[in-house]
Amino acid sequence: IANHLLDEFYTSENDLKLFELWLLDYNIMQSSRAWFLHNQMNAEIMENIISALGVRKKDVDLNVLLLHLGNAKFNANEPASAIQYLELIQTEKLLNAFQYKNLGFANSYSFEMVARAIANLVQHNRIDLAYHLLNVFKKEINRSSLYGYASQLISLSGASPVMAAQLIDSAKKEMNRIKSASDFQPNRLNVAIALMYLNPDENVEEAYKTIKNSFNKFDAFTRFSLAHSFYGALYNATAEVPELISTSDQANFLFNIVKGYNLSLETKPEWKNFRDNEFIFGRRYLPYINEYR
């Protein structure tokens, strides 16, 4: 790109499809950077790639890169630039980033990146663009999970409780549209966790009712503890720990209690890299349900 050789080395649209495969591989490595030992691409490099490929080669699917760059720009407190890049996402191709076979965590990571974009857009009053991304997903379970997880992110960032509550309301509306009670519904856990992150004292009863008869309840219970400790209620956080559980499960609860308390504090510079590279299964619960089944 720097030497203007892109068109010389990649002469056809089929050649340029290699970039799409490379981006899908990059997405896997970014799902858990400390696990795969891969740093994030510099934002300037991402911008150069988008400028070189996106402007002249309209058929190249750069959605993965746009999601990552949008997130990086929001993290750098450059919301106008972030929104500009998210507006370039080709929604008709967005589900291409959810086609990993036998790599459910990679599809889940793509899901996480969309949810992060939605949370950031809502906070910056671009609800229209947030819904444009969310509307790609037709299954109520996925839509409910996206609303729920976006609400969690807003609550943990200390942003508007009103926005977080509105997203929970939308998540519950989608949840109530689900007709089959026997379906795997990870969204119920995400709605319950969002309720707890918003206000654990007021919402604990509703949260427990929401996950009744759900699978993977421990993924919710540990985050209920996190919610209490986030608001400084360490006794309530420890009270969420069930009796007669293994030492490894006890350690997981204690980890989340400490994590929740620390999330309420300003991150020290020496810990930022650790927090930014948290293990994928430790930082959230967000299964993706295949839209094509």
Side-chain angles (χ1 to χ4, degrees), residues 47-254:
E47 289 179 298
N48 288 339
I49 294 173
I50 289 170
S51 177
L53 292 178
V55 173
R56 301 200 311 268
K57 310 295 181 183
K58 299 297 183 182
D59 292 332
V60 183
D61 182 358
L62 297 176
N63 286 338
V64 167
L65 201 59
L66 291 166
L67 284 170
H68 282 84
L69 182 55
N71 187 59
K73 289 294 184 178
F74 275 123
N75 289 339
N77 199 26
E78 299 176 28
S81 180
I83 292 170
Q84 176 187 351
Y85 286 115
L86 292 178
E87 286 177 329
L88 297 176
I89 289 176
Q90 298 172 288
T91 52
E92 71 277 8
K93 296 181 179 180
L94 187 57
L95 290 182
N96 290 347
F98 294 80
Q99 303 303 309
Y100 296 98
K101 295 182 179 179
N102 302 319
L103 293 173
F105 70 89
N107 293 321
S108 177
Y109 178 63
S110 297
F111 206 40
E112 179 184 355
M113 292 302 295
V114 173
R116 287 185 176 278
I118 290 171
N120 282 316
L121 289 168
V122 168
Q123 290 180 79
H124 289 86
N125 298 313
R126 284 302 309 269
I127 298 174
D128 59 323
L129 184 53
Y131 187 76
H132 189 55
L133 296 178
L134 190 137
N135 202 39
V136 170
F137 304 89
K138 305 305 179 185
K139 289 196 172 185
E140 293 86 354
I141 293 175
N142 285 332
R143 295 167 66 88
S144 180
S145 286
L146 285 170
Y147 279 127
Y149 187 69
S151 174
Q152 294 173 34
L153 294 174
I154 290 175
S155 292
L156 292 180
S157 70
S160 169
V162 174
M163 289 181 179
Q166 289 173 343
L167 287 170
I168 291 174
D169 288 341
S170 296
K172 289 195 287 189
K173 286 179 182 177
E174 295 292 344
M175 182 177 68
N176 292 333
R177 291 192 180 106
I178 300 169
K179 297 179 181 179
S180 177
S182 62
D183 288 344
F184 174 47
Q185 296 183 32
N187 59 301
R188 287 189 168 275
L189 274 70
N190 273 295
V191 172
I193 295 166
L195 285 165
M196 292 293 286
Y197 285 179
L198 178 64
N199 191 320
D201 292 333
E202 291 184 3
N203 297 329
V204 63
E205 185 176 348
E206 183 181 358
Y208 270 97
K209 286 181 179 179
T210 302
I211 64 171
K212 185 179 180 180
N213 300 324
S214 296
F215 298 107
N216 301 338
K217 287 184 181 179
F218 259 41
D219 286 294
F221 293 159
T222 54
R223 288 164 177 84
F224 289 1
S225 286
L226 187 155
H228 285 298
S229 61
F230 179 72
Y231 288 98
L234 296 180
Y235 174 80
N236 290 344
T238 56
E240 292 286 348
V241 182
E243 297 180 356
L244 304 176
I245 59 175
S246 68
T247 53
S248 60
D249 285 333
Q250 288 178 339
N252 189 29
F253 271 96
L254 291 174

Side-chain angles (χ1 to χ4, degrees), residues 33-51:
R33 293 191 288 272
W35 191 19
F36 287 110
L37 302 179
H38 273 257
N39 284 327
Q40 192 172 29
M41 199 186 315
N42 183 279
E44 183 179 353
I45 294 174
M46 288 193 276
E47 289 179 298
N48 288 339
I49 294 173
I50 289 170
S51 177

Side-chain angles (χ1 to χ4, degrees), residues 281-293:
F281 299 115
R283 69 172 179 261
R284 85 289 186 279
Y285 175 80
L286 192 64
Y288 164 74
I289 304 299
N290 193 325
E291 286 281 325
Y292 295 107
R293 292 179 183 171

